[in-house]
Amino acid sequence: MTVTALLFASYADALGRSSVSLTLPPGATVSDALDRLRELPGGSALPPSPLVAINLAFARTNVELSPGDELAVIPPVAGG
Amino acid sequence: MTVTALLFASYADALGRSSVSLTLPPGATVSDALDRLRELPGGSALPPSPLVAINLAFARTNVELSPGDELAVIPPVAGG
Amino acid sequence: MRSAIVTHPLDPAALTAEVANVANGATVVFVGTVRDMNDGRAVTGMEYTAYLPMAERELRRIVEEAAARFGTNDVVVEHRIGELGLGEASVVIAVAHPHRANAYDASRYVIEALKARVPIWKREWYADGERAWVDPTRAAREALAEEPS
Amino acid sequence: MRSAIVTHPLDPAALTAEVANVANGATVVFVGTVRDMNDGRAVTGMEYTAYLPMAERELRRIVEEAAARFGTNDVVVEHRIGELGLGEASVVIAVAHPHRANAYDASRYVIEALKARVPIWKREWYADGERAWVDPTRAAREALAEEPS
């Protein structure tokens, strides 16, 4: 299956891109997707347990992904 | 000695005036002045221990008055 | 730092501008307005009166206290007296501070102290034509009087 | 009740007017602005970016939560993104309620939840030319890392 990973702020700077298309085996979890991102150039900048959201809602890293999901990897927020 | 008593809001309405000149014996206290005010028409509307100020500063009722003092008898405040 | 008791309509935007300062990250503006209902009675307007020299003095002190306690000189308060219609502002407090917690706390300090200490009174005008001085202590006193002795 | 993420300068007076209602006695307006100093470094400006659809969704939820929790529909918040100069407003929250305690508490609820949950990031521009993303969790993490194990 294919999911889209979105990167923001310092994470986007580290990986040099703001979105990555990932092809993952069926049953892959958020953790699996994060491991894949860490293999990319600059991916070591991602922390052990970053905040993530699936399709606009915060999610845990053990959640299984579905084809077409939008997985956002969210740096510490700093609004206001 | 003479002091000026100022009345406000419901107290002024009750006594029908906003200021009263009081002639008191030397050594008279705030309590003595309040007793004198209570003898005036409508004076029974004053509570047992109203808030008072002498010359713009809150004061206790056992304080001795001085000639020329401005004694304000202050109903429950309701600003804001 | 400034405080005033005025008879003209209040301008929250002007007070907000007055505390602006690039050292500040947070501004809190409180606006008190005349509402159409109090204790279940329809209100049509309000009349504020003050013991002016003392009210000015207490208000100035409160602003000085808030400035010292919360660490900012960017505190401005204006209270309006006279006759006010529904929705009109009776008080505006503008506070700015580098950090939001202090801005909120200083704002709250000023309004609570103002309501407790500044000799200002208000008379409500009710829809039925009656007018009555507002006594914030009445409810508490009545509750006490009803307690079994 | 309304929330928005915008790219144009914010207008606190307009948001204040938006929550006006004769049933309300208290209006609290919070304005967050870009300040000239952070962690002891001179700042010359700020750049805000957002995960827009999620930020809009979280902000709307926060406003709904505040409304339900504090009992008023008169809650409006706007957050600006893009490049902001010193003193410019990044966020304005206007809340009105019949009573002041709830107006203050609802305002505080919105800003705290916004800072904790809304996916917005800011990059500070320093006087020395450097730019860095602000990480509010860094100080806490560094303190933890320094604890003897």
Side-chain angles (χ1 to χ4, degrees):
Chain A
M1 66 178 168
T2 301
V3 304
T4 304
L6 300 182
L7 300 164
F8 302 94
S10 59
Y11 299 170
D13 286 358
L15 280 90
R17 57 222 279 190
S18 58
S19 97
V20 181
S21 185
L22 299 175
T23 303
L24 299 164
T29 63
V30 171
S31 287
D32 297 328
L34 291 171
D35 287 344
R36 196 68 70 78
L37 290 171
R38 285 197 189 88
E39 293 164 6
L40 298 174
S44 61
L46 296 180
S49 303
L51 208 57
V52 297
I54 301 172
N55 303 328
L56 310 184
F58 288 112
R60 294 177 182 278
T61 51
N62 60 0
V63 168
E64 280 191 21
L65 293 164
S66 301
D69 272 354
E70 180 172 288
L71 172 68
V73 190
I74 299 183
V77 302
Chain B
M1 64 177 170
T2 301
V3 304
T4 303
L6 300 184
L7 301 163
F8 302 93
S10 59
Y11 298 171
D13 285 357
L15 281 90
R17 56 222 281 190
S18 58
S19 97
V20 182
S21 184
L22 299 174
T23 303
L24 298 164
T29 64
V30 171
S31 287
D32 297 327
L34 290 171
D35 287 345
R36 195 69 70 77
L37 289 171
R38 286 199 188 85
E39 292 164 7
L40 297 174
S44 61
L46 296 181
S49 304
L51 207 57
V52 297
I54 300 172
N55 304 329
L56 310 185
F58 287 112
R60 295 177 180 277
T61 51
N62 60 0
V63 169
E64 279 191 20
L65 293 163
S66 301
D69 273 352
E70 182 171 287
L71 172 68
V73 191
I74 298 184
V77 303
Chain C
M1 234 187 317
R2 188 176 66 78
S3 60
I5 298 190
V6 304
T7 54
H8 54 74
L10 301 178
D11 182 352
L15 271 70
T16 305
E18 202 172 330
V19 296
N21 182 331
V22 290
N24 294 324
T27 303
V28 173
V29 183
F30 175 84
V31 184
T33 49
V34 177
R35 61 200 183 97
D36 62 358
M37 193 71 82
N38 195 20
D39 289 336
R41 286 182 81 175
V43 171
T44 60
M46 198 83 96
E47 186 189 332
Y48 284 84
T49 179
Y51 177 20
L52 198 56
M54 185 174 171
E56 286 173 337
R57 181 178 145 143
E58 281 299 314
L59 204 52
R60 186 170 58 244
R61 283 190 175 187
I62 289 167
V63 165
E64 289 167 357
E65 289 165 9
R69 197 156 168 162
F70 299 100
T72 176
N73 285 325
D74 297 317
V75 183
V76 176
V77 52
E78 286 190 358
H79 198 298
R80 181 178 171 190
I81 57 174
E83 299 181 3
L84 275 72
L86 295 185
E88 286 200 277
S90 54
V91 61
V92 177
I93 301 163
V95 178
H97 192 282
H99 302 291
R100 68 186 181 285
N102 283 26
Y104 276 106
D105 290 349
S107 175
R108 195 74 198 267
Y109 180 84
V110 171
I111 187 64
E112 299 304 330
L114 186 161
K115 285 183 172 272
R117 286 162 46 186
V118 178
I120 294 178
W121 302 274
K122 60 188 167 203
R123 180 148 58 174
E124 286 179 334
W125 304 350
Y126 302 106
D128 61 13
E130 205 198 327
R131 297 183 178 196
W133 294 101
V134 174
D135 178 356
T137 67
R138 196 187 54 195
R141 279 191 288 104
E142 287 176 353
L144 270 177
E146 279 168 16
E147 275 183 4
S149 57
Chain D
M1 235 187 314
R2 189 176 67 79
S3 61
I5 298 190
V6 304
T7 54
H8 54 73
L10 301 178
D11 182 352
L15 270 69
T16 306
E18 202 173 329
V19 298
N21 180 332
V22 291
N24 294 325
T27 304
V28 173
V29 182
F30 175 84
V31 184
T33 49
V34 177
R35 61 202 183 94
D36 62 358
M37 195 70 83
N38 195 22
D39 288 336
R41 288 183 81 175
V43 171
T44 60
M46 198 84 96
E47 185 188 332
Y48 284 84
T49 179
Y51 178 19
L52 198 56
M54 185 174 170
E56 287 173 335
R57 182 179 143 143
E58 281 299 312
L59 204 52
R60 187 171 57 244
R61 282 192 176 183
I62 289 167
V63 165
E64 288 167 357
E65 288 164 11
R69 196 154 167 164
F70 299 99
T72 175
N73 285 325
D74 297 318
V75 183
V76 176
V77 53
E78 285 189 358
H79 198 298
R80 182 179 170 190
I81 57 174
E83 300 181 2
L84 275 72
L86 294 185
E88 286 200 276
S90 55
V91 60
V92 176
I93 301 163
V95 177
H97 193 281
H99 303 291
R100 70 187 180 283
N102 284 27
Y104 277 105
D105 291 348
S107 175
R108 196 74 198 265
Y109 180 84
V110 172
I111 186 63
E112 299 303 333
L114 185 161
K115 284 182 172 273
R117 286 163 44 187
V118 178
I120 293 178
W121 301 275
K122 60 188 167 202
R123 181 149 57 173
E124 287 179 333
W125 305 350
Y126 302 107
D128 60 14
E130 206 199 327
R131 297 183 177 195
W133 294 103
V134 175
D135 179 356
T137 67
R138 198 187 52 195
R141 277 190 290 106
E142 287 175 353
L144 270 177
E146 280 168 17
E147 276 184 2
S149 56

